[in-house]
Each structure stands twice: as structure tokens, then as C-alpha cells.
């Protein structure tokens, strides 16, 4: 036993692991670049300055990643996260021993999909038991997950269902910019049809709640316009007049600090400059382009509405370069750092609610 659980508050040994958040890092699909970017990220001393990282994965996948990247890091298997040494130069990891046969690198594999899902399940279990303070995930492959007979679309759906959460949202963070999404993986035509006053108002309340959980006491939100120049009073479309403005007014009437609609060609710039704490993007590419043009590699995906913080790289398994040791770990490093920056605040605010 490393600690005891009292009223859902873990008392860990060893001076509370230096008072740094303990972040679980899943390896992602072992056939992709996940293991490579994880070991590369943990070769960066800056990670250990801000978090205590423990990998949830598989020993052979880690050994292969170290071989491919040419890194000389010691592997330290532990049964529980609190047993880790958390010293730069070694990787503390929980070995699920779930890769009985060798996985072909760079190819879709149901066995790899099954292993990736099991890494995620274990991370969620540890977080719900308060053995880790947050989770940062390496990329998974949807085809491999489905090939393994696992009926989830992606990470967010897994975390939502397996934690029993109801109001999860995806938030992008890069530099000082935070972006929520009204709609995501649907056609642009369908997205425009879902720009309704009721939907926008409900999402704004969820955004405000999420920001409070992340530590913003009085969040300032902006809503991006749908049409060029915000519709120019109806000349270029009337969604702003009929749907967005009524939603903003409804939110304001209930105490939210919301501005908008603000033309999409300026609202993200203004938010990054500090005028707003977050922007509600109305469709997928509106927010994705803004974030990735600002800094593609450092864009991090954050899942809000969970009992703990969960972050992720915003890229895929990159089978085309997997196994070559050339994948950049910048996004993985940022995901770990962002998880660490929010971990204690999310847990504290969740307990209050």
C-alpha cells in the first residue's frame, strides 16, 4: 500500500511525490508513433520539473521505442504509480503485458487496437481511484480499435462512458488561446444547421462550467461569428441575427460574461491576446485552423467534464513514419505539461461541486 483513501482524497507517501501532479501517460497504438513520442517526451528534463510521469503501457513496446529512437533511458516497472522513482533518465511504467506477439509497426492491427484500449482503461481506473492526478494520451487508430471489436469512435467517447460523465467537451489549447467547439465531426452543411440559439446557449453554459473547473473564477467567453464580417446585418446571412445574438443575450441574462458574435477572422487573435479566456467555435475547421496556424505542434486537446484532467496530442498515429524514430514529441510534451498545469485544480474543483 502506497497510501490510503479518505473521503476520496488520497494521502500518498514520500512527501506527496514532491507535490507535483502524478500524470499517467498512455502509449497509444503500439503500431504507431505513440511509444516513440512518449519516450522522446520523457527524455526531456523539463517534463520532470513540472510533473511525475508514469507510463501505462507494455514493456516490449517501450523497449522497441527506445531502440528506434536511440535513447538510453532506464525502464523501471512498478505495480502502483506511487512506487515510481520519478527521476529524469528513467521511465516509470506499469506493464500490462498485453502484447503476446510482435506488432507490425506502421500497419493497422486489431491486437494493437486492443492493447491501446486496455492502456486507456487502466489509466481511467487509476485516475478514478485517485492513484494518478490526470491522464495524457498518445494517439490511437480508430480502424484498429474497431478491428478489435471495441465499439467506440475515439478517446473522448471512451473517457466519457467509462467515467460515467455526461457533459464532456473538447477544448483546444495553444499558447494563450482556448477553443471550444459547438460542432465537430459532421459536414459543414450539417454544422450550419446546428447553429441554433438553444444549442449555442446550452454549450456556453457548459463552457463556463468547464473553465471554472480549470480554475477561471469569472470566465470571459467569446462566440465566433458564422458568416463573413458577422453577416453584415443580414447581408451575408442572418444566423447571427436569428440564432447567435439571442443565445448570447440569453447567456448574459443568466450571469455569463459572453461577447459575440465576433468575426472569426479576429476573435481568435483577440483571445490569444488575452481579451477572452476562451472562444466558442461554431464548426470543426473554424477552430482547428486558428489553433494549428498559431502553433501546429503545440496544439493540445483537452477533455473537460471528467472527474480528472485528460489531455491529448492533436495528431494521429502517423503510420507512414512509425518505426523510423523521426516523429516529433513536441505535442506529447505539451499535452503532459498542460495536464500537469490543470490536474490539481480540476480535482479540487470537482470535489467542491
Amino acid at each position: 500500500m502506497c497510501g490510503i483513501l479518505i473521503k476520496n482524497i488520497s494521502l500518498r507517501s514520500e512527501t506527496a511525490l514532491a507535490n507535483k501532479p502524478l500524470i499517467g501517460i498512455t502509449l497509444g497504438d503500439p503500431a504507431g508513433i505513440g511509444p516513440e513520442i512518449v519516450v522522446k517526451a520523457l527524455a526531456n528534463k523539463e517534463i520532470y520539473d513540472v510533473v511525475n510521469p508514469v507510463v501505462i503501457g507494455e514493456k516490449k513496446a517501450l523497449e522497441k521505442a527506445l531502440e528506434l529512437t536511440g535513447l538510453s533511458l532506464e525502464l523501471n516497472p512498478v505495480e502502483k504509480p506511487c512506487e515510481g522513482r520519478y527521476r529524469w533518465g528513467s521511465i516509470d511504467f506499469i506493464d500490462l503485458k498485453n502484447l503476446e506477439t510482435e506488432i507490425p509497426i506502421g500497419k493497422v492491427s486489431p491486437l494493437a487496437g486492443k492493447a491501446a484500449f486496455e492502456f486507456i482503461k487502466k489509466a481511467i481506473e487509476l485516475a478514478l481511484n485517485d492513484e494518478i492526478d490526470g491522464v495524457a494520451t498518445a494517439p490511437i487508430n480508430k480502424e484498429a480499435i474497431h478491428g478489435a471489436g471495441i465499439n467506440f469512435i475515439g478517446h473522448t467517447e471512451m473517457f466519457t462512458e467509462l467515467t460515467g460523465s455526461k457533459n464532456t467537451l473538447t477544448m483546444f489549447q495553444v499558447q494563450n488561446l482556448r477553443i471550444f467547439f459547438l460542432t465537430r465531426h459532421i459536414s459543414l452543411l450539417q454544422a450550419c444547421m446546428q447553429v441554433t440559439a438553444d444549442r449555442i446557449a446550452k454549450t456556453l453554459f457548459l463552457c463556463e462550467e468547464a473553465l471554472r473547473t480549470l480554475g477561471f473564477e469569472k470566465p470571459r467567453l467569446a462566440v465566433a461569428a458564422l458568416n463573413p464580417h458577422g453577416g453584415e446585418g443580414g447581408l451575408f446571412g442572418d444566423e447571427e441575427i436569428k440564432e447567435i445574438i439571442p443565445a448570447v443575450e440569453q447567456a448574459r441574462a443568466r450571469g455569463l460574461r459572453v461577447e459575440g458574435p465576433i468575426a472569426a477572422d479576429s476573435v481568435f487573435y483577440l483571445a490569444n491576446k488575452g481579451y477572452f479566456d476562451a472562444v466558442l467555435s461554431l464548426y470543426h475547421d473554424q477552430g482547428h485552423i486558428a489553433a494549428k496556424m498559431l502553433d501546429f505542434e503545440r496544439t493540445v486537446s483537452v477533455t473537460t467534464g471528467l472527474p480528472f484532467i485528460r489531455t491529448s496530442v492533436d495528431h494521429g498515429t502517423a503510420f507512414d513514419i512509425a518505426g523510423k524514430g523521426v516523429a516529433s514529441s513536441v505535442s506529447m510534451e505539451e499535452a503532459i505539461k498542460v495536464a500537469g498545469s490543470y490536474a490539481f485544480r480540476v480535482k479540487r474543483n470537482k470535489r467542491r461541486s
Side-chain angles (χ1 to χ4, degrees):
M1 291 290 290
C2 300
I4 57 177
L5 199 65
I6 300 177
K7 292 183 180 180
N8 206 34
I9 299 176
S10 177
L11 302 178
R12 299 193 184 114
S13 60
E14 305 300 331
T15 63
L17 297 174
N19 295 317
K20 288 181 286 189
L22 212 168
I23 301 300
I25 305 165
T26 61
L27 271 189
D29 190 308
I33 62 172
E36 296 173 49
I37 62 175
V38 168
V39 299
K40 280 187 175 183
L42 297 183
N44 184 349
K45 187 178 183 299
E46 290 181 9
I47 297 297
Y48 288 81
D49 292 339
V50 293
V51 305
N52 292 312
V54 60
V55 175
I56 295 98
E58 203 275 343
K59 184 179 181 181
K60 290 191 289 292
L62 282 169
E63 289 175 335
K64 183 67 173 179
L66 290 173
E67 176 189 337
L68 291 169
T69 56
L71 292 169
S72 297
L73 300 173
E74 180 187 358
L75 293 179
N76 179 43
V78 296
E79 291 294 324
K80 294 178 177 292
C82 60
E83 296 172 358
R85 295 182 294 216
Y86 303 111
R87 296 197 298 262
W88 178 55
S90 67
I91 296 177
D92 301 282
F93 73 102
I94 294 173
D95 185 6
L96 297 194
K97 301 175 183 177
N98 55 356
L99 293 175
E100 299 92 358
T101 59
E102 187 172 347
I103 298 293
I105 303 297
K107 296 182 180 179
V108 174
S109 164
L111 182 58
K114 179 175 179 290
F117 180 63
E118 289 170 351
F119 301 154
I120 295 163
K121 282 181 64 179
K122 182 63 174 180
I124 292 171
E125 173 191 322
L126 293 170
L128 290 177
N129 288 337
D130 209 38
E131 295 183 67
I132 56 177
D133 301 308
V135 180
T137 58
I140 58 175
N141 181 274
K142 292 181 177 62
E143 188 177 349
I145 293 289
H146 286 190
I150 299 162
N151 193 27
F152 284 106
I153 297 173
H155 266 124
T156 303
E157 292 76 16
M158 294 176 191
F159 275 84
T160 299
E161 183 167 322
L162 295 177
T163 61
S165 302
K166 295 180 180 179
N167 296 319
T168 55
L169 288 176
T170 294
M171 183 188 84
F172 272 16
Q173 177 163 323
V174 55
Q175 295 183 20
N176 198 38
L177 176 62
R178 298 168 197 84
I179 305 171
F180 291 97
F181 296 86
L182 182 72
T183 64
R184 292 198 70 201
H185 297 134
I186 56 177
S187 73
L188 184 55
L189 178 61
Q190 289 175 310
C192 291
M193 293 172 65
Q194 291 191 20
V195 178
T196 65
D198 183 61
R199 186 181 181 90
I200 294 168
K202 287 180 179 177
T203 304
L204 283 171
F205 291 117
L206 293 177
C207 294
E208 204 253 4
E209 180 183 356
L211 288 170
R212 286 184 180 276
T213 301
L214 294 176
F216 295 87
E217 291 185 9
K218 296 180 179 179
R220 299 163 300 163
L221 283 158
V223 181
L226 179 67
N227 295 300
H229 304 285
E232 289 282 17
L235 293 175
F236 305 149
D238 60 6
E239 286 83 1
E240 283 76 14
I241 297 171
K242 290 184 175 180
E243 307 294 345
I244 303 174
I245 291 174
V248 170
E249 291 176 345
Q250 180 183 337
R252 282 180 181 167
R254 293 182 59 182
L256 271 65
R257 300 172 69 191
V258 187
E259 300 290 335
I262 300 174
D265 61 4
S266 58
V267 68
F268 300 104
Y269 170 82
L270 293 171
N272 192 48
K273 287 295 182 182
Y275 290 93
F276 307 106
D277 296 312
V279 177
L280 177 60
S281 168
L282 300 183
Y283 57 93
H284 181 281
D285 283 8
Q286 187 180 55
H288 276 244
I289 292 171
K292 293 179 181 179
M293 281 298 295
L294 185 59
D295 194 328
F296 189 94
E297 286 194 303
R298 287 181 169 81
T299 297
V300 173
S301 178
V302 181
T303 304
T304 66
L306 300 172
F308 51 86
I309 191 68
R310 177 256 167 173
T311 63
S312 179
V313 298
D314 187 47
H315 61 70
T317 47
F319 283 158
D320 57 327
I321 60 170
K324 298 180 181 179
V326 299
S328 171
S329 64
V330 171
S331 189
M332 189 77 247
E333 293 170 33
E334 289 298 309
I336 297 167
K337 291 176 185 177
V338 171
S341 71
Y342 287 133
F344 288 152
R345 280 181 277 177
V346 169
K347 291 179 69 174
R348 181 174 62 248
N349 289 324
K350 281 291 183 180
R351 285 170 182 146
R352 288 175 180 170
S353 60

